[in-house]
Every structure is written in structure tokens, then in C-alpha cells.
Amino acid sequence: MSIYNEFLESKKYFINETAFSLLMRKRIYKVLLLCSNYDSYMLEEDGRIDEQIFNEYASLNLRYPPIFRQANNSQKAFRILQKDNIDLVITMLNLADSDPFELANKIKNEYSKIPIVVLTHFSREVTLKLQNEDLSAIDYVFCWLGQADILLAIIKLIEDKMNVKHDVEVVGVQTILLVEDSIRFYSSYLPIIFKIIFKQSLEFMTEGMNEHKRMLRMRGRPKVLLATNYEEATELYEKYKKNMLGVISDIRYDREGKQDAQAGIKFCKLVQKDDPYMPFILQSSEIENEKIAKELNVGFIDKNSKTLTLELRDYLVKHLAFGDFVFKDPKTMKQIAKATDLKSLQQEIKKIPDDCLKYHINRNDFSKWLNARALFSIAEYFKNYHQTDFKSINEVRNYIYDEISKYRINKGRGVITKFDRYRYDEYTMFSRIGEGSLGGKARGLAFIDAIIKKHQLLYQYDNVIIAIPRTVVLCTDIFDEFMEDNDLYKIGLSDISDDEILKHFIEAELPARIFENLKKIISVIKNPIAIRSSSLLEDSHYQPFAGVYSTYMIPKIETNQKLMMKMLIDAIKSVYASVFYKESKAYMAITKNEMDEEKMAIIIQEVCGKRYDNKFYPTLSGVARSINFYPIEPEKSEDGVANVAFGLGKMIVDGGVTLRFSPKYPKKVLQLSDPAMALRGTQKEFIALDLIAENFKQSTDDGVNLLKLRIKSAEKDNSLKHVASSYDLQNNIIRDGTNQPGKKIITFSNILNHEVFPLADILQHLLETGQNEMNNPIEIEFAADLDTPKGSPKIFNFLQIRPIVDNTNISDLDLSDINMDDTIIFSKSALGNGIIKGVSDLVYVKPEVFNASKSEKIAFDIGKINEIFLKEDKNYILIGPGRWGSTDPWLGIPVKWSQISAAKVIIESGLENYRIDPSQGTHFFQNITSFKVGYFTINPFINDGFYDIEYLGKLKAYFEDEFIRHIRFDTEISIQIDGKNNIGVIYKANKD
């Protein structure tokens, strides 16, 4: 009889002695990620998936935690599959050279036993795509909802499926059954369920009287089972019902191959027939089912609830019941030294006896210990070498010491370190406080740091440092703790005003455990500090939240740490509060997300720039895109575009006047093509941080502590020498530099024409590199300080990177021969692609009565109309003069995105004496492109496009006031956009 069978025969007598070595026999050791480099970084580095699963793997005494391999194309994928023993393939939809579903079929044909999981961003387009795809090779499809713990859930779900039969039969491990057919919902539920299980198991571990029993408790954690239809649910239930802790079930799902609105209820009754006390929770988007759940005496969760995940967590909690490296003497097995970290390991390697070193090398202990501490790259080095590969033990010793030394020198760049206030100093570039997610914006920032390191950009340009600013991130678990400890969800989710929400948040207390860390941060950072939002949803591929949440800046105060601490703490709370402001909630509604699923991390970042008296600002700030939707000859779309401004970047993101140029053609700037245009169309104001601490205010307006100043006020600072030119009135000519008399104009001529700073080259390089790394067009934000001390390098701070949602499926529309009599609008500068359907309303600002002084009132009135469209779940066409979303009412209608969020097509129309450049370079523009809103610019007064205002004027108004008319057509309006040629047309009623 085998040892295994002997165990089965006598398990009731010695189960605690031997069971732990027999549980969880089948594991996933190597995972292949099929995705872009950016997606790989997003999943691994931000979520620190290796570190997240470390606790369980280490406590289970397994040899190696899972190692993640990544491929962004099919050739590399198959090379890895052939070389490595891959246990799981996770594929995302953003691959460089192949369709992910075709690739999945090819992999399955050659490696039939490897499970394949699709991990995709949540969007309507993706849902529709999945419905039409062959998913026969796919084991599971999951949605990426912004948190990397979905990877942990995927791995554990598959491992549980592989081990459940054995572990239940051998020991009696318990199970939890989830019955859910919605990818969106089970992707949200499973990470929560596993997180609760691991938390419970860790608590159980502490109850063990010795190490053996503690390990047993962890290995005995409940298995999670997933069923997506009635038959799967009943099969799993019948197999494991004697070892089932509880059931979570949807109500409407497939039964006998058809949707059954009562399937969950029928399954509940089946379970209750066997065990009326089985914990069972029904969840449904149909609230009337709550009554049935009460009749069945089971739990119920409304899928439409704003606190869905919180309710699930509460129900599960209520109803469903690692260390130092020890150097040993191989003869006595006694400890002769220990290492607590990589630094002390390196130190001890030089000291320990030869036989001790041999002992640990032969056991591969160093590699194991390093893997357990998520130091995978260096662990791989050591794993691949054996003592016999070296001439002597001393050569081995030197090799290990040198490799650790190299690793430690390099690790400060491109790596997110855990914040340690005892070690934090000016050499620490990027660190995190907390164990949660970094959030989208910080994740992008960390990715930038990795790009800089990977491509050796730091010192690539003479006398220039390219780097991210010194950064510390408060992770999302700090936000969770803050919200829960102060019971703030009921405040944030209420309908009270933004000002009242801010007041409650300011009065609340941050977790006390972070205070000493914050003190250390402000003692090290020498410049003012920016406190920026970094939510889970910010800067994702399909759910852009650019510019929605707040960013605050505070001055550096050397003499009063207490006051600076107060400003920092208030700013953090203010960013947290901005999650729940009216505009944020409007974004949530648009993107079909739930408020309680949004989490906020905080970026605490050193501001780029220099102090000038009582104000602080950089030489320049900017936004650049790798794709240019409005190329001007000889530019091409793929050459990219940049918008730069003197001073802080808020001037750009708020839609102020900037200088636009293509990095490939920096000397061709339309705004500077003649003196009149330069005088009219260049920057008149700049933004700086107010350094007078007493002026700091708490406000829902994150710009309240910034100064908007005239360019002339910067002349006395002597800060214009790199960016300004002088206008000679007498000769009507613009001369480069500021040494000439005359009005100073922000032209950046010394930079763009004379290359005193290689801005265009840097931007071109970064855009190309970033786009290649992301497999997607990108937008970046940056700032530069050129006013550095003599002999010191100039500073270029790479501040942000995010993908631009690009229309890759270009429709074959031929709009080259249009009869203008058939159109309401014709534009040669249209963004978007294809045919826009479902629109039968048009709202326009009447050009004949438009008054720029009344633009704020017009914005308010349009917001009211927009609210009606949102309630009616309708879309409309919006036409108005100048820039939509400009904070300067003289440049256009100063709406916020929430005030026009139902618009499906937005048109910026010039007037006879009112021509404004389009809104590229703003957060507003980013949202237009990301939400796939049609965007036209026209100016019929200079024969730039066509606008039949007479036709609209003859139509009956559905609503009309002094400035606005709303037309509702009896049929849909035909809207077509040729994305190849940037031509857009809106036809009159009954025209196709």
C-alpha cells in the first residue's frame, strides 16, 4: 500500500501530522502574460502581484512563488512556451501582431492542458466584441477593473479548480460556490472573496500552537468554485455540498441552454432542500427579487447598489465563518548569522565560513529567499548557477557579492520602493506608503521611471537630466482606512454640496500611522509639493478620468513644520473629497462605474521650478501627443504635437493660451507666422504658486492658491530669457531674446529655433519611445526648469503618460463629394470616425446674439439642458463659438465636462471676429477623444467648413432662450466622419 493510500486509510488519526504536505499539490509556477509592455507593468509592478501572493506561497512552504513572463507578440509567446514550462496564459486584447483569440486557439491546439484566460478592460465595445468571438479555447474571461488583485483571484481560482477534488476528499477542505454569468460582476466579486479568505486564514494561522499547525491552517483555506450556468452550479454543489461554507448566486442565468429569470431561485430551493441553513446570498439587478430572497430567508444584494462590493464583503465576513535569512553551520545546524534584507545579506556573504556558503548554495537557499522577497531578477541569476560553474568557493563568494552590489546600485531607478522613514533620503526617487494600489496616474508615473531606466534616458542629453520628480504615493488602502474610520461613505455618496463634502473631509482624521512618514517627506523635499490624485480609474485605456479630480500645491516652509504639515494634510483630504464631487459622480455615471469601486491614491511630488520672491514656477510646462489630429503642412498626423506654456501647467490643462508646435518641425509655429498673429495668439498670463503660507486656503477649487499673473510681472524675475522675444513696434518685427527693447512675447524662440535646450528632440524621443512601449498613441505631461545654478544641468521632469484611445477601425466613408445644400454642418477638421447613430437633437448657441461677456451664463444654461438629456438617456449635437471648456470665458463657453457629457458631437465654430484655436492639449480634449465624441471645428466666415444657420433658424425650437436653441428632429440625424481625411458632415433631416 502506498504512503498516499496509507494516509487515506488512517487520516482520522494523524491528519494534523501529515496533511499539509499533501494539500495544494497542483500549483501555477509560471505565468505567461500576453500584452503590451505597459499592460504588463500595470499588472505586475503596480499591483505587485508577486508580492501579493508571497504571503500564501511562503506560508505554504512551497519552493518558488510564481514567475511571470511577458510577450507582446505571438512569436515571442511561442518561444517562451517552447522554452519554459508555462502553467497559465493570461492574454489581454492589446497585442502587437495578432488577434488574441486566434492566438489563443493556436496555443490551445499545441498546449491543450494550459488554461488560457482573457483579461480585458471593461467597456461596451469589448463586451460586444466578446459576444462575436470564438471563445472555445478560453477557460475564463475576466475584466480589468483597476486593481491588480484580479490576477491573484485568477491564479487562485484555477489552482482551486485543479486541487479541490483531492483536497476535499483528503482533508475535508471547505468550499465557497459563486454562481454568476456576468464577467463584469464575477471579476469584481472574486478578488473580494479571496481577500477575505486570506485574511481569515492569516488570522487562523496565529491560533496554531506550533509552526506545523499554523501551516496546516493556511493550507486548509476554503476553495472557491465558479459556475456560470445552472448545470455547472448543480454539478459542483452535488460534488462538494458536504464541504460547502456558502453560496453566492445570481438569479438570472442560463438553464438548459436558455436564459432563466428564476434560475438562481430554483438553485437556492435545491440547496435549501438539502440544507436549509446553508448560507446563501442572492444578487440581482432587479430589486423586486429582494422580496423573494426574504421569503427564502436568504441574503440579497442589489447589483445596482452604489455600495455593492461593500455589502458583499460585509455579508461574507459575517456569514462565512515570512523572515530573516538564517546562515547555518551544516554540522550542528545552528545559526551562525542572519540577514534581514539584501544589504545585510551582502555584508554577511563576505563573513560566513566556506562550508556554510557551500551548504546554502547547494540547497539553492539564496534564490529561494530572494524569490520570496519579490527580488526575482537577482534570484534568477543565482538560480542559474551552481558551485561547479566556478573555480573556487571564493570566486562564488565574490560573484554573489558583486551581483548584489550591481542590483542595489541600479534599483533606485525604475523601482517602487516601500517607504521607510529611517532610510528615506534625497536618493529615494519613488516610494509607496501602504499596501494597496498606486492608482492610474501614479502607475503611469512609475512606468515612466521604468522607461527612463530601460532606455537610459537619464543623461542622454548633454547638461540635461530627464527624470520623474521625487515622488511618494499614499496607496489606496490609506484611502480605505480614512473613509471607513471616519464613516465618510455616507457623506461622500450623499447629495450634499461639494463645499459641504469638503468640510466633512477636512474635519476627519487621517490614519495616525502615516503622520511620521509625512513629517519625514517634508523634511527631505526642498521644493514646494504637489498633492495629486491617482485614482484606480485615472488614465486607463477605456475609462479616462483626466482632470476630474483635484491637484493642490503647497509652498515649502523651512521655519514652520507644523504649518506645512497642516497644509499637506488638508491637501490630502481635499483630494480625497474630490472623488465625491458632483463632476466626479457625473463621470462615474457616464463610464458605468460604481462609486464604491473607485479608490484614491495620493501622489506627493516635488514641484519642478524655481522660487522668485514669493512665487514659484518652472520655465515651461507642456502636454505632447504622439498623434496630431490637426496637422499643418508639412506636418503629418504621426509626427505628434506639443503645447507649451511659461509657468505652471495648469494654464494648459485648463485650456489657456499656449504655444503649439510639432516636435518634428519646431521652427514652424503657426502662431508666430506674422507679428499680428503672435501678438494676438500668444500667452499673456502665466500661473505660479503663491509661496505665502498664510494665503493657503481650503477650497473645492484646486487653483485657489495659485496666482494668475501678467507676463510683464515675470520680467523683474529675469525668468523670460529662455522663452521670450521682443516686439519692435516701430519696425513691426519680433526679435529673438529679451535684450532688445519692446513688448515681451512668449515664443520659446531660443529653445525652438536656437536650441538652447533640446526640447523638441526630447519630446520626439519620448513620444516615440512611449508609444512603442504602450502599443498605443500616447499623451505626456512635462515641465522643465532651465533657470538652474551655473554648472548645474537643466531639469526636464517627465510628469505623466497616458494612452490615447485611437480609432483603429477606420470606416471606408467617402465624404469627398458633398452637396452643401444637404448639410447642416461640414468640417474639414473633424475628429472621430464612422457613423454616429441614435441622435435626433441639436443644441446650438445662436451666433447672431452671442456675447462673450455672457458665456458663463450660457455654460450654466447648457448644463441644465444636459441634465435633461442625461435623465432621458439621450444624446445630442452641441454647437457653439470658440473653445468648449475653456476656463477663460473670452475664449469660449467655460463649461465643465459634466455640463455637456451627453453630447455625442461637439462643434467649435468661429465667428466673423472670433476665431479661437481648437482645444487640443487640454484634459477636456482628452475626454472628447476617449469617450469617442465627434469633434468638429469650423469657421464659415473664412470658408473653413459650412454651417447652415439659416436652416436651423427656420425650424421649430423644442426649447429656446436668449442665447440657446434646442431643435428636436422627428428622425435621427445622419452624422458621418471620415477618420482618414478628418472630414465630418451632419446632414439635414431625411438625408443619408
Side-chain angles (χ1 to χ4, degrees):
M1 183 181 292
S2 69
I3 295 175
Y4 178 74
N5 288 331
E6 287 179 354
F7 173 78
L8 289 178
E9 289 293 320
S10 57
K11 64 179 181 179
K12 61 183 179 181
Y13 298 111
F14 63 98
I15 182 170
N16 288 342
E17 279 69 32
T18 60
F20 89 94
S21 63
L22 294 174
L23 294 178
M24 294 295 290
R25 294 161 64 94
K26 298 176 181 178
R27 307 300 297 236
I28 291 173
Y29 294 103
K30 291 186 178 181
V31 180
L32 172 59
L33 287 171
L34 300 180
C35 59
S36 71
N37 292 340
Y38 172 71
D39 286 331
S40 170
Y41 190 91
M42 175 178 65
L43 297 174
E44 289 193 70
E45 197 67 24
D46 168 53
R48 294 171 301 120
I49 185 65
D50 297 302
E51 187 173 331
Q52 286 192 35
I53 62 176
F54 160 75
N55 284 332
E56 188 192 24
Y57 277 78
S59 60
L60 293 177
N61 203 28
L62 293 170
R63 296 178 66 86
Y64 299 107
I67 293 172
F68 288 80
R69 302 295 305 274
Q70 184 253 334
N72 61 3
N73 58 64
S74 57
Q75 291 181 344
K76 187 175 180 181
F78 276 100
R79 285 201 301 270
I80 294 172
L81 286 164
Q82 291 165 7
K83 182 180 177 181
D84 291 335
N85 295 318
I86 297 297
D87 303 301
L88 169 65
V89 174
I90 299 176
T91 178
M92 299 188 78
L93 301 185
N94 193 15
L95 294 178
D97 68 338
S98 59
D99 179 88
F101 301 99
E102 292 179 1
L103 181 57
N105 277 291
K106 291 178 181 177
I107 293 173
K108 208 71 171 182
N109 287 336
E110 291 192 36
Y111 304 93
S112 59
K113 294 183 179 181
I114 300 179
I116 302 177
V117 171
V118 168
L119 181 61
T120 173
H121 297 85
F122 171 62
S123 73
R124 183 175 180 275
E125 288 82 1
V126 170
T127 302
L128 294 173
K129 180 178 176 65
L130 290 172
Q131 291 175 357
N132 299 317
E133 291 291 344
D134 176 15
L135 301 179
S136 58
I138 307 300
D139 295 82
Y140 294 100
V141 179
F142 283 87
C143 282
W144 169 251
L145 299 174
Q147 287 189 284
D149 53 8
I150 187 68
L151 278 176
L152 179 60
I154 291 169
I155 291 169
K156 291 304 153 192
L157 182 70
I158 294 172
E159 285 187 343
D160 285 1
K161 185 177 181 180
M162 294 189 298
N163 289 287
V164 62
K165 185 177 185 299
H166 171 270
D167 289 1
V168 167
E169 290 179 354
V170 168
V171 179
V173 167
Q174 299 296 290
T175 61
I176 298 172
L177 176 59
L178 172 63
V179 190
E180 175 58 70
D181 63 346
S182 167
I183 298 168
R184 168 70 175 78
F185 282 100
Y186 68 64
S187 298
S188 180
Y189 293 159
L190 285 168
I192 297 170
I193 295 169
F194 278 111
K195 195 174 289 186
I196 292 169
I197 289 172
F198 294 149
K199 185 176 180 181
Q200 293 294 98
S201 298
L202 286 169
E203 290 176 359
F204 289 156
M205 245 178 66
T206 63
E207 298 172 4
M209 291 183 292
N210 56 44
E211 191 68 16
H212 176 79
K213 292 185 178 180
R214 287 197 288 271
M215 294 298 172
L216 173 64
R217 291 292 185 99
M218 276 297 290
R219 285 179 169 255
R221 70 160 179 83
K223 302 287 186 290
V224 178
L225 311 172
L226 174 65
T228 58
N229 57 56
Y230 185 86
E231 287 71 25
E232 285 181 1
T234 53
E235 181 183 359
L236 289 171
Y237 172 71
E238 291 298 335
K239 280 184 179 180
Y240 306 116
K241 61 185 178 182
K242 294 182 180 179
N243 299 82
M244 194 163 285
L245 290 176
V247 180
I248 307 160
S249 177
D250 194 9
I251 293 179
R252 182 189 296 271
Y253 47 83
D254 281 2
R255 181 175 175 270
E256 297 178 348
K258 297 180 180 179
Q259 275 278 304
D260 186 343
Q262 302 290 308
I265 296 167
K266 292 171 183 175
F267 182 55
C268 180
K269 290 178 179 178
L270 182 150
V271 172
Q272 288 188 328
K273 185 177 180 181
D274 284 334
D275 183 359
Y277 302 106
M278 171 76 70
F280 201 111
I281 184 167
L282 290 167
Q283 29 103 16
S284 173
S285 56
E286 299 163 339
I287 194 65
E288 56 268 23
N289 286 319
E290 186 174 9
K291 183 179 179 181
I292 300 173
K294 288 181 179 179
E295 292 173 357
L296 293 170
N297 196 31
V298 298
F300 179 82
I301 292 180
D302 177 9
K303 281 187 171 183
N304 295 316
S305 170
K306 293 181 179 180
T307 57
L308 174 65
T309 56
L310 297 174
E311 290 173 39
L312 176 63
R313 186 186 298 115
D314 289 342
Y315 184 88
L316 294 175
V317 170
K318 290 177 182 177
H319 295 89
L320 304 181
F322 236 50
D324 298 338
F325 188 98
V326 177
F327 293 92
K328 295 180 179 180
D329 184 327
K331 296 178 181 177
T332 64
M333 299 307 295
K334 290 183 178 181
Q335 174 182 325
I336 57 175
K338 71 175 181 178
T340 59
D341 55 21
L342 196 58
K343 179 181 178 180
S344 55
L345 180 69
Q346 182 183 14
Q347 293 170 341
E348 294 300 333
I349 287 294
K350 283 288 188 180
K351 301 175 184 177
I352 58 172
D354 289 353
D355 57 347
C356 174
L357 183 57
K358 287 180 185 178
Y359 172 80
H360 290 294
I361 291 170
N362 292 332
R363 291 168 52 89
N364 203 22
D365 288 339
F366 297 125
S367 181
K368 292 178 185 178
W369 187 78
L370 292 166
N371 266 318
R373 302 180 76 87
L375 300 172
F376 299 110
S377 58
I378 193 168
E380 282 292 308
Y381 272 103
F382 295 158
K383 180 184 175 182
N384 293 329
Y385 289 95
H386 190 266
Q387 180 187 340
T388 56
D389 295 318
F390 299 87
K391 295 179 180 179
S392 66
I393 192 65
N394 196 48
E395 189 175 280
V396 177
R397 191 192 304 275
N398 290 334
Y399 169 77
I400 295 173
Y401 183 91
D402 291 342
E403 289 303 316
I404 295 175
S405 181
K406 291 176 187 177
Y407 179 84
R408 292 185 61 210
I409 290 170
N410 197 44
K411 73 174 183 176
R413 296 282 175 178
V415 176
I416 307 161
T417 61
K418 187 173 183 179
F419 188 90
D420 182 346
R421 66 177 182 268
Y422 300 108
R423 299 184 181 183
Y424 183 72
D425 57 29
E426 63 270 26
Y427 298 102
T428 309
M429 293 307 299
F430 198 119
S431 56
R432 61 193 297 155
I433 299 174
E435 301 300 324
S437 172
L438 294 173
K441 195 177 293 182
R443 185 167 58 235
L445 195 66
F447 184 60
I448 290 168
D449 200 26
I451 290 174
I452 292 171
K453 180 178 180 179
K454 176 180 178 181
H455 295 275
Q456 300 180 348
L457 300 175
L458 188 64
Y459 302 113
Q460 183 156 343
Y461 296 89
D462 292 341
N463 200 37
V464 178
I465 291 176
I466 299 176
I468 64 168
R470 187 170 292 107
T471 299
V472 179
V473 180
L474 301 182
C475 296
T476 54
D477 56 315
I478 308 296
F479 173 79
D480 288 336
E481 191 174 336
F482 174 70
M483 294 297 296
E484 293 169 8
D485 288 354
N486 295 283
D487 198 19
L488 286 172
Y489 274 109
K490 65 182 180 183
I491 299 296
L493 296 173
S494 70
D495 294 327
I496 62 176
S497 70
D498 292 352
D499 288 328
E500 290 178 283
I501 289 174
L502 177 61
K503 181 176 180 294
H504 282 283
F505 274 66
I506 293 294
E507 290 173 350
E509 292 293 331
L510 287 177
R513 62 187 175 93
I514 70 170
F515 276 63
E516 293 302 318
N517 292 337
L518 296 180
K519 289 180 181 178
K520 182 65 176 180
I521 292 169
I522 63 175
S523 72
V524 171
I525 293 181
K526 301 305 179 185
N527 281 356
I529 298 174
I531 298 88
R532 308 170 66 192
S533 64
S534 181
S535 81
L536 291 180
L537 300 177
E538 280 186 290
D539 299 344
S540 72
H541 280 66
Y542 296 98
Q543 303 182 100
F545 277 64
V548 178
Y549 304 131
S550 298
T551 294
Y552 292 86
M553 291 186 181
I554 62 171
K556 170 68 176 181
I557 308 171
E558 298 284 359
T559 58
N560 193 336
Q561 188 185 60
K562 185 176 180 181
L563 177 58
M564 191 170 181
M565 271 290 289
K566 184 183 186 306
M567 289 191 295
L568 176 59
I569 290 167
D570 285 351
I572 291 169
K573 295 175 185 176
S574 298
V575 175
Y576 283 158
S578 70
V579 175
F580 302 96
Y581 290 167
K582 183 178 180 180
E583 185 173 2
S584 305
K585 291 172 180 174
Y587 264 65
M588 283 291 179
I590 296 166
T591 56
K592 308 299 183 185
N593 284 283
E594 301 297 337
M595 285 298 300
D596 68 300
E597 288 183 352
E598 178 67 301
K599 307 290 184 185
M600 180 63 75
I602 297 288
I603 299 172
I604 300 173
Q605 193 171 67
E606 192 167 28
V607 179
C608 177
K610 181 180 177 180
R611 178 173 188 148
Y612 302 94
D613 294 327
N614 288 320
K615 54 187 179 293
F616 187 98
Y617 55 90
T619 308
L620 62 89
S621 301
V623 174
R625 299 172 134 240
S626 63
I627 186 169
N628 181 7
F629 294 113
Y630 296 89
I632 302 168
E633 290 291 341
E635 300 166 2
K636 296 180 181 179
S637 179
E638 60 269 23
D639 292 336
V641 64
N643 290 79
V644 292
F646 174 66
L648 291 171
K650 191 170 177 63
M651 174 65 70
I652 303 169
V653 298
D654 281 352
V657 178
T658 62
L659 195 81
R660 173 214 174 276
F661 69 94
S662 168
K664 189 171 182 178
Y665 302 99
K667 298 180 181 181
K668 296 182 181 294
V669 181
L670 179 64
Q671 289 155 274
L672 306 178
S673 56
D674 65 69
M677 187 177 289
L679 288 168
R680 183 177 65 249
T682 53
Q683 193 176 346
K684 305 297 187 298
E685 299 174 312
F686 73 101
I687 296 176
L689 172 63
D690 187 349
L691 295 182
I692 301 176
E694 291 74 16
N695 293 343
F696 182 81
K697 303 180 184 71
Q698 301 163 0
S699 174
T700 56
D701 177 8
D702 59 0
V704 69
N705 301 300
L706 302 179
L707 303 170
K708 183 175 280 190
L709 305 166
R710 301 293 294 178
I711 293 296
K712 190 171 182 63
S713 68
E715 291 185 40
K716 64 179 180 180
D717 296 334
N718 195 30
S719 59
L720 297 176
K721 57 182 177 290
H722 298 296
V723 302
S725 297
S726 304
Y727 173 62
D728 182 343
L729 176 62
Q730 184 175 357
N731 296 298
N732 190 30
I733 191 171
I734 297 174
R735 304 183 188 278
D736 293 343
T738 57
N739 293 329
Q740 306 292 332
K743 180 182 176 67
K744 301 303 179 253
I745 303 173
I746 304 300
T747 63
F748 295 95
S749 180
N750 281 337
I751 295 172
L752 300 180
N753 291 327
H754 304 294
E755 301 181 0
V756 297
F757 180 75
L759 178 63
D761 286 345
I762 292 172
L763 293 180
Q764 200 169 358
H765 193 166
L766 295 183
L767 289 174
E768 181 181 345
T769 302
Q771 179 164 300
N772 289 338
E773 290 290 341
M774 277 193 166
N775 286 352
N776 212 82
I778 61 164
E779 178 177 271
I780 66 174
E781 293 183 17
F782 55 90
D785 178 20
L786 311 189
D787 203 359
T788 54
K790 187 176 181 180
S792 298
K794 315 299 184 189
I795 306 298
F796 180 94
N797 274 174
F798 197 160
L799 299 177
Q800 199 163 333
I801 188 169
R802 52 176 164 260
I804 301 170
V805 180
D806 189 24
N807 280 330
T808 54
N809 300 315
I810 303 296
S811 297
D812 293 325
L813 291 172
D814 184 4
L815 302 180
S816 59
D817 187 17
I818 301 293
N819 185 347
M820 295 302 163
D821 292 339
D822 295 339
T823 70
I824 302 172
I825 297 288
F826 176 79
S827 173
K828 298 177 184 177
S829 298
L831 169 61
N833 184 68
I835 298 172
I836 298 176
K837 297 182 179 181
V839 179
S840 57
D841 292 84
L842 187 150
V843 176
Y844 69 99
V845 179
K846 295 185 285 188
E848 68 272 13
V849 296
F850 172 70
N851 185 340
S853 66
K854 302 293 185 182
S855 58
E856 291 182 342
K857 180 184 185 305
I858 296 172
F860 178 82
D861 293 341
I862 287 173
K864 292 297 183 183
I865 295 172
N866 190 76
E867 288 180 4
I868 296 171
F869 279 102
L870 289 173
K871 290 177 182 177
E872 295 177 347
D873 195 23
K874 290 184 176 182
N875 298 115
Y876 62 99
I877 299 165
L878 178 63
I879 311 174
R883 291 184 182 176
W884 287 106
S886 173
T887 56
D888 186 343
W890 296 97
L891 297 180
I893 312 298
V895 291
K896 293 185 177 180
W897 181 256
S898 59
Q899 292 176 294
I900 60 169
S901 57
K904 197 62 179 174
V905 180
I906 295 173
I907 299 164
E908 296 184 346
S909 174
L911 296 177
E912 192 167 5
N913 298 306
Y914 193 83
R915 185 180 185 186
I916 306 297
D917 290 333
S919 301
Q920 283 198 81
T922 67
H923 281 152
F924 189 89
F925 187 81
Q926 166 75 2
N927 293 323
I928 288 172
T929 60
S930 297
F931 287 123
K932 298 184 178 178
V933 174
Y935 172 67
F936 298 5
T937 58
I938 58 173
N939 194 335
F941 296 96
I942 58 172
N943 296 319
D944 181 9
F946 177 75
Y947 181 8
D948 198 339
I949 194 66
E950 277 188 42
Y951 168 77
L952 294 177
K954 293 176 183 177
L955 298 177
K956 181 181 177 181
Y958 183 79
F959 165 82
E960 184 172 7
D961 64 12
E962 182 182 0
F963 298 108
I964 302 168
R965 290 189 91 227
H966 171 193
I967 308 296
R968 177 159 287 177
F969 295 88
D970 294 332
T971 58
E972 283 187 15
I973 307 171
S974 179
I975 306 165
Q976 299 182 12
I977 307 173
D978 176 359
K980 291 180 179 177
N981 299 300
N982 302 113
I983 297 174
V985 61
I986 300 175
Y987 288 100
K988 292 174 181 175
N990 303 318
K991 295 292 181 181
D992 296 324

